[in-house]
């Protein structure tokens, strides 16, 4: 492995959360480490395992907890990088440890969850680029513990007359995602383009008094604060179908920016700015992009 001081190393899983805005002067490492194992409550997978297959495998092995995180694109190794989450569940709730290799010293180690710096869409790995994730161990549950705080999920189960079993939750999450999100294979996108803004509960209440219907989600690991729906803010600012060059705010889901073809870097940056400016102007709330950009500057 090359020294990262001499040359940049960029690990890539499935590339589903990266926006390539220019040519990249770096060594790209495609993570393809494979293998899964389990003990009574701990499921472990190598970094190159596809995330969704791992979720399905844990369910098959009657280890519960990951069903709300079904169908998130990408690899197991990338999951802790931005601490993936969906439908009221965040990865860090389950992390036992993250196995890494330091690309400068070639030392291997296992980092316990408490040292991973997890927060909403955050971890220490986003800053410590020299740490390459090689595997992930999750402590799961042997008895089902349905997490249905996300109203859309609970309502959909009720509408489809399904009991709240892990398999039904898994399948319902897959169904909702397939209906709601534009398929990146057909219309290139990186999923949510902006993070849900995290604010104090008091600020959220004040905003809800002024803007009726603003959805507020319960906190993940950050218990003092709440998340505002970025999709709602963008939609209410009238930005669905806003377009600059080849990039457009998806009509299907306001949080997604799609590349209609031929989009240039300047177009994307202009559209991001337009969304941020209009949402700030209307609600006084700042939106921060979720995906990583390469090259970084
Ligand atoms: C349609 C769609 C829906 C999505 N929905 C969600 C969602 O609901 N919730 C959510 O949280 N995310 C979501 N995402 C984002 C994405 O799925 C996740 O961020 C996923 O973890 C990315 O996996 P990947 O293997 O594609 O990572 P990549 O895009 O390849 O990499 C992402 C970042 O992680 C780094 N990285 C990758 N592998 C490693 C490694 N082994 N060691 C160190 N660094 C590494 C890369 O350098 C890069 O900075 C969605 C994306 C799409 C396209």
């Amino acid at each position: 492995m090359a020294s990262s001081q001499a040359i940049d190393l960029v690990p890539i899983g499935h590339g589903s959360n990266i926006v390539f805005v220019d040519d990249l002067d770096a060594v790209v490492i495609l993570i393809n480490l494979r293998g899964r194992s389990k003990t009574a409550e701990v499921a472990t997978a190598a970094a190159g395992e596809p995330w969704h297959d791992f979720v399905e495998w844990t369910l098959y092995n009657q280890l519960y907890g990951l069903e709300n995180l079904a169908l998130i694109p990408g690899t197991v190794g990338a999951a802790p990088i931005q601490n993936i989450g969906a439908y009221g569940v965040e990865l860090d709730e389950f992390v036992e440890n993250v196995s890494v290799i330091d690309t400068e010293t070639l030392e291997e180690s296992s980092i316990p969850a408490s040292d991973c710096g997890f927060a909403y869409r955050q971890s220490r790995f986003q800053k410590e680029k020299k740490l390459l994730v090689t595997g992930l161990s999750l402590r799961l549950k042997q008895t089902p513990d349905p997490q249905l705080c996300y109203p859309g999920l609970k309502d959909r189960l009720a509408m489809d007359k399904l009991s709240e079993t892990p398999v039904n939750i898994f399948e319902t999450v897959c169904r909702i995602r397939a209906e709601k999100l534009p398929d990146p294979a057909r219309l290139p996108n990186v999923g949510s383009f902006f993070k849900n803004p995290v604010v104090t509960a008091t600020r959220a209440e004040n905003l809800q008094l002024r803007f009726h219907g603003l959805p507020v989600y319960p906190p993940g690991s950050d218990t003092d604060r709440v998340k505002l729906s970025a999709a709602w803010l963008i939609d209410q600012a009238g930005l669905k179908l806003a377009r600059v060059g080849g990039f457009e705010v998806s009509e299907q889901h306001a949080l997604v920016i799609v590349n209609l073809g031929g989009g240039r870097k300047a177009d994307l940056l202009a559209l991001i700015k337009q969304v941020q400016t209009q949402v700030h102007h209307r609600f006084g709330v700042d939106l921060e992009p979720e995906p990583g950009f390469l090259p970084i500057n």
Side-chain angles (χ1 to χ4, degrees):
M1 207 171 280
S3 157
S4 65
Q5 280 170 348
I7 193 159
D8 280 339
L9 299 178
V10 178
I12 288 194
H14 290 171
S16 63
N17 208 31
I18 300 174
V19 181
F20 288 94
V21 285
D22 242 322
D23 290 342
L24 190 60
D25 186 15
V27 172
V28 171
I29 305 176
L30 184 65
I31 306 295
N32 201 19
L33 301 166
R34 303 303 285 257
R36 303 182 289 221
S37 62
K38 69 175 190 73
T39 60
E41 283 189 335
V42 176
T44 299
E49 287 288 330
W51 172 258
H52 177 74
D53 294 359
F54 178 54
V55 172
E56 211 170 14
W57 178 80
T58 57
L59 210 51
Y60 178 78
N61 282 287
Q62 294 169 346
L63 286 172
Y64 307 115
L66 301 183
E67 44 279 5
N68 296 44
L69 304 181
L71 221 57
I72 296 182
T75 52
V76 164
I81 306 299
Q82 72 153 3
N83 184 22
I84 59 169
Y87 298 96
V89 170
E90 309 282 315
L91 178 79
D92 64 328
E93 295 165 36
F94 307 100
V95 174
E96 186 82 346
N97 55 60
V98 179
S99 301
V100 298
I101 182 163
D102 182 320
T103 54
E104 286 176 13
T105 62
L106 300 188
E107 244 173 69
E108 292 181 59
S109 59
S110 175
I111 304 179
S114 53
D115 291 343
C116 289
F118 286 129
Y120 170 65
R121 297 297 168 274
Q122 266 181 48
S123 76
R124 66 183 276 189
F125 309 111
Q126 290 166 321
K127 291 196 190 109
E128 290 182 67
K129 300 284 185 196
K130 64 177 186 171
L131 297 180
L132 191 148
V133 175
T134 54
L136 180 65
S137 289
L138 303 179
R139 181 166 292 278
L140 301 173
K141 294 167 186 161
Q142 289 178 299
T143 48
D145 179 20
Q147 297 300 315
L148 297 170
C149 64
Y150 190 90
L153 180 55
K154 195 173 173 60
D155 295 350
R156 183 60 184 264
L157 281 162
M159 197 179 87
D160 292 348
K161 297 188 172 49
L162 293 171
S163 55
E164 296 169 358
T165 64
V167 169
N168 284 344
I169 293 172
F170 171 89
E171 287 174 352
T172 302
V173 166
C174 291
R175 215 169 296 130
I176 296 175
R177 292 185 72 101
E179 287 166 7
K180 269 177 60 173
L181 295 169
D183 179 0
R186 286 191 293 163
L187 209 47
N189 73 83
V190 288
S192 305
F193 206 94
F194 297 95
K195 296 180 187 178
N196 287 322
V198 178
V199 300
T200 61
T202 313
R203 173 135 194 250
E205 274 166 31
N206 289 337
L207 282 165
Q208 281 185 311
L209 286 175
R210 287 177 57 208
F211 305 107
H212 296 290
L214 168 61
V216 170
Y217 302 123
S221 44
D222 192 345
T223 46
D224 296 338
R225 292 154 82 82
V226 294
K227 291 180 279 185
L228 308 176
S229 166
W232 189 91
L233 296 169
I234 295 168
D235 193 5
Q236 294 296 307
L239 284 156
K240 264 192 179 173
L241 289 177
R243 181 172 175 178
V244 179
F247 291 98
E248 187 175 83
V249 176
S250 166
E251 186 178 21
Q252 216 175 325
H253 198 300
L255 204 45
V256 178
I257 290 181
V258 293
N259 186 349
L260 301 168
R264 294 175 309 123
K265 173 184 173 182
D267 301 333
L268 178 62
L269 297 181
L271 185 56
I272 294 170
K273 185 110 190 118
Q274 184 185 341
V275 171
Q276 288 173 321
T277 306
Q278 279 184 229
V279 166
H280 182 86
H281 184 71
R282 175 91 197 273
F283 302 103
V285 174
D286 292 324
L287 292 181
E288 193 189 325
E290 182 177 301
F293 289 74
L294 283 176
I296 287 169
N297 293 313

